[in-house]
Amino acid sequence: MHSFNTLRRHGLFDARVPRYTSYPPANHFQNDFGQRHQVDWLRAVPQDRDISVYVHIPFCKRLCWFCACRTQGTRTLRPVDAYVEVLLKEIETIRQTLPPGIRMARLHLGGGTPTILPCGTMSALLNALFAAFERSADFEFSLEIDPTEASDDLLQLLIDAGMNRASVGVQDFARPVQQAIGRSQSLSQTRHVIDLMRSQGVASLNLDLLYGLPHQTSLSFGQTLRHVARMRPDRLAIYGYAHVPWMSKRQIMIKAADLPDNETRFALAEQARAAFLAEGYDSIGIDHFALPSDSLSRAAVTGRLRRNFQGYTDDQGETLIGLGASAISRFPGGYMQNATATSAYQDRVTSSGLAAHKGYGMTAQDQLIARIIEDLMCRFVYDEAALRDSFPEQAALIRQTGISLMTRFTDVFYISEAGLKMRSDTRPLVRVIASHVDAFASEATAHSAAI
């Protein structure tokens, strides 16, 4: 009860704080920044460097009502093929702008529904990517898969092309929940896709779940958790549903009255956590789980866990190139985001070969705050000594921030060898803690979802 009261007192059930997959959050990127700096930042990537690549496919044959991603529905493949043609031009322009010798260590296709691409279109896209970027020795290729839109032929093509990680969307298997969120997906469809990939040697499988959905109960969610545990994925991501119909109009199809309240949401999250810990998974950050043998778990143990736009990762690369509409690139100096609307993205690439529009240049203080927030989100620690080693010119601010955290959250932190450490029973507060050091927090609270 003490822990629950602490969580309530510090605002866990009322706070509206960012998910902190980047700092600053993308809603603070500045218009037209990308056009001015994209070429310079691409050319500044050191020669012979490993980079990561993300490709956004913003199309779905059905628009699930719960989704707030930048996607659009299509009944034909004509706009998909036209979009990929533009992607090919962007890839070639990026290749020509980057220095020679750049290697691709990570490739991730997200969406939308990447598995909406027919085999010929997917093959053309992958051939262009592999022609533009030499693959590193430890290359990882991952893709988001909708089991209802993933043909056996396409999955085999992806596996033959080197896909060794896959993320399969589940959300919830309960029929009343699926009907309320506009997503019909059977257990047998999901098992078929997983069994096929496992039989072909895909190294790591991740399943995505959501809690806080309409009509979701402890009993029904428990059944979904048991189904998922029997599939034995290597990783799990369990996110809280964010009801933001003012941002994602399709969510008006979901009745707010059918959603669980915030304390019930928290109970569902804790139910999932207990279930997967009992199955032998390690807890990773605030919303991921991994088997001890998985690289994500090893990264957490060795202090190499990172956080990016896909969530928690063991990717150590400094540069991420985002391709496609709304895709975000990360450079040592800041962020670039492509034009978000598909039509605007296509117009920009057609006219100039590049599509960056928004962006943000990191100041020295931004770099410090980003590091503090990542340390909190990944390790639940505020390590003053390590921060001073990395940012010696900001020692005063580092000291001041540490005092502020201990003063404001006395019952959350304790002093350890690693610095200020969050008590394990207060870790659900970590996004609230992060917002305390976030210079943009007063604005960000108006745009983000709770828990």
Side-chain angles (χ1 to χ4, degrees):
M1 183 60 69
H2 170 70
S3 172
F4 193 84
N5 288 337
T6 300
L7 301 179
R8 187 200 301 273
R9 183 168 59 255
H10 287 295
L12 178 66
F13 306 113
D14 305 307
R16 297 290 186 271
V17 292
R19 295 188 185 277
Y20 289 114
T21 52
S22 72
Y23 183 82
N27 58 300
H28 294 287
F29 293 177
Q30 299 161 358
N31 287 335
D32 298 323
F33 180 93
Q35 288 178 302
R36 300 196 306 270
H37 300 282
Q38 186 176 22
V39 170
D40 290 341
W41 281 6
L42 285 168
R43 288 174 175 167
V45 176
Q47 292 187 24
D48 303 315
R49 186 62 56 91
D50 287 354
I51 64 169
S52 301
V53 176
Y54 170 78
V55 183
H56 188 65
I57 308 295
F59 295 96
C60 300
K61 288 186 179 178
R62 62 174 181 185
L63 291 177
C64 300
W65 302 335
F66 69 87
C67 182
C69 297
R70 294 191 179 276
T71 61
Q72 62 190 76
T74 180
R75 295 183 179 181
T76 74
L77 292 174
R78 286 194 300 272
V80 179
D81 289 335
Y83 176 82
V84 171
E85 283 297 318
V86 177
L87 261 177
L88 300 185
K89 180 172 183 179
E90 185 187 16
I91 292 167
E92 177 60 19
T93 305
I94 295 286
R95 183 196 68 80
Q96 292 176 0
T97 309
L98 284 168
I102 297 298
R103 295 177 300 271
M104 179 167 56
R106 304 286 179 105
L107 171 63
H108 181 77
L109 272 61
T113 308
T115 47
I116 197 176
L117 268 60
C119 288
T121 307
M122 179 66 78
S123 181
L125 174 59
L126 295 179
N127 287 341
L129 288 164
F130 297 148
F133 307 108
E134 178 186 352
R135 284 168 276 187
S136 68
D138 56 351
F139 174 66
E140 289 187 3
F141 173 17
S142 58
L143 185 123
E144 295 171 13
I145 293 175
D146 178 352
T148 69
E149 290 291 346
S151 70
D152 290 1
D153 288 344
L154 179 64
L155 291 174
Q156 190 61 57
L157 183 154
L158 291 165
I159 293 166
D160 291 344
M163 181 182 72
N164 48 18
R165 295 188 181 276
S167 181
V168 179
V170 170
Q171 322 320 331
D172 195 304
F173 284 121
R175 287 295 299 161
V177 176
Q178 290 187 356
Q179 290 170 353
I181 63 175
R183 181 185 182 91
S184 178
Q185 176 180 325
S186 69
L187 181 61
S188 61
Q189 285 174 314
T190 309
R191 282 178 171 161
H192 173 76
V193 166
I194 289 174
D195 290 346
L196 188 155
M197 290 190 291
R198 281 223 169 98
S199 70
Q200 295 297 311
V202 176
S204 180
L205 296 176
N206 172 82
L207 297 187
D208 288 342
L209 302 176
L210 281 177
Y211 64 88
L213 293 172
H215 305 303
Q216 199 172 49
T217 67
S218 175
L219 183 63
S220 69
F221 195 43
Q223 185 61 49
T224 289
L225 297 176
R226 287 188 288 275
H227 286 316
V228 168
R230 283 195 285 271
M231 296 179 195
R232 202 63 177 170
D234 303 272
R235 300 179 183 179
L236 290 149
I238 305 179
Y239 302 114
Y241 166 64
H243 191 60
V244 287
W246 57 91
M247 294 175 58
S248 180
K249 292 183 179 180
R250 73 195 69 167
Q251 290 187 355
I252 63 174
M253 300 295 294
I254 295 176
K255 299 177 182 178
D258 294 335
L259 298 172
D261 61 33
N262 282 342
E263 293 189 12
T264 303
R265 283 167 56 93
F266 178 71
L268 291 168
E270 289 296 288
Q271 179 183 358
R273 174 182 171 81
F276 291 120
L277 290 179
E279 291 289 339
Y281 287 86
D282 292 333
S283 178
I284 310 295
I286 59 172
D287 50 24
H288 281 50
F289 298 84
L291 292 174
S293 58
D294 189 84
S295 62
L296 196 66
S297 183
R298 295 196 299 271
V301 170
T302 58
R304 296 187 303 105
L305 188 67
R306 304 290 305 276
R307 190 159 171 84
N308 66 16
F309 300 106
Q310 281 77 57
Y312 288 102
T313 179
D314 57 349
D315 185 358
Q316 303 299 304
E318 288 186 336
T319 301
L320 166 68
I321 302 297
L323 301 165
S326 80
I328 297 175
S329 297
R330 184 190 68 238
F331 297 91
Y335 301 96
M336 300 280 181
Q337 183 174 25
N338 281 354
T340 53
T342 303
S343 57
Y345 160 77
Q346 292 174 308
D347 288 346
R348 285 175 181 268
V349 175
T350 300
S351 63
S352 69
L354 297 172
H357 175 50
K358 294 183 178 181
Y360 189 88
M362 301 280 279
T363 67
Q365 182 172 313
D366 291 330
Q367 298 279 7
L368 169 61
I369 294 174
R371 165 72 176 276
I372 292 171
I373 289 176
E374 187 170 59
D375 284 350
L376 288 168
M377 295 293 295
C378 293
R379 290 171 281 283
F380 304 102
V381 67
Y382 183 81
D383 188 343
E384 186 172 321
L387 291 169
R388 284 200 310 268
D389 288 344
S390 299
F391 302 90
E393 72 286 354
Q394 299 191 66
L397 178 57
I398 292 167
R399 179 61 176 162
Q400 176 187 343
T401 303
I403 293 172
S404 176
L405 288 173
M406 276 302 291
T407 302
R408 173 68 177 80
F409 301 102
T410 304
D411 52 351
V412 172
F413 287 97
Y414 66 93
I415 299 174
S416 73
E417 291 183 358
L420 301 182
K421 189 84 172 177
M422 293 183 67
R423 290 194 350 238
S424 59
D425 59 339
T426 66
R427 288 179 178 179
L429 285 167
V430 68
R431 287 166 55 202
V432 176
I433 306 296
S435 71
H436 182 72
V437 301
D438 180 356
F440 293 97
S442 60
E443 298 174 55
T445 53
H447 297 275
S448 304
I451 310 184

